[in-house]
Amino acid sequence: MIEFQAVRKEYQNGTVAVHELSLSVRTGTITVLVGPSGCGKTTLMRMVNRMIEPSGGKVLVGGTDVRERDPAELRRGIGYVIQQAGLFPHRNVLDNIATVPLLHGRSKQEARKRAGELLELVGLQPELGKRYPAQLSGGQQQRVGVARALAADPPVLLMDEPFSAVDPVVREGLQDELLRLQDELDKTVLFVTHDIDEAIKLGEKVAVLRQGGHLAQYAEPDDLLAE
Ligand code: ADP
């Protein structure tokens, strides 16, 4: 579903963030990119939705080179979840989630209804829909971020350290919730983390990156070698 073919990224200042890297993310599975800060995880992920263009090689989504896709159309099929949920501070939770279906031409009523369903799907009580983001805990905000990413029902989800800013206990709950959701919705997920335990827990496949954007290992969690 997502394929990186000899992908390379060199920024204008000469930094090589990704060094000829090939891997594929099987449809309906979670693949995790793990490695220390600065090893190219975010760069790699952002090439999938064309926020960053590769300097060499190809990125395919659903068998098509992303360069042949209109970026806006491509992004409708790709949900994006980041570390600090990135919610609109002046809209309540329900409206944060409903923004996406509204943009896609649903009526206000339909969009609100869908937002309510998504709230439930990510394990939040309906009452929370009326609150503003600042009135939620970090873990709750991340759940809203996931719900918003799911609002367009995208086949692909990009998740960039989505649970890193919450405390370890909450993080475990969020991880379990993601696995449950994944089981139910069957999305193709590319998940970035610097936490190897998180990678092992969530990934069907784990890609371990090393400084300079080198792929050190690419295996199922049970087959990873200790480093
Ligand atoms: P990670 O997500 O693993 O922390 P990044 O993909 O953010 O890594 O960054 C990889 C490397 O590219 C780092 O050395 C970083 O400093 C560098 N980098 C990221 N963005 C830019 C940019 N816009 N210009 C120059 N260098 C960048």
Side-chain angles (χ1 to χ4, degrees), residues 151-172:
D153 201 20
V156 174
L157 272 185
L158 304 178
M159 307 184 84
D160 196 346
E161 305 212 14
F163 309 148
S164 300
V166 295
D167 70 66
V169 176
V170 174
R171 190 182 315 155
E172 268 195 44

Side-chain angles (χ1 to χ4, degrees), residues 11-13 15-17 35-44 160-161 192 211:
Y11 284 106
Q12 283 190 347
N13 65 2
T15 304
V16 176
S37 180
C39 71
K41 304 181 297 294
T42 297
T43 300
L44 203 57
D160 196 346
E161 305 212 14
V192 161
Q211 232 35 269

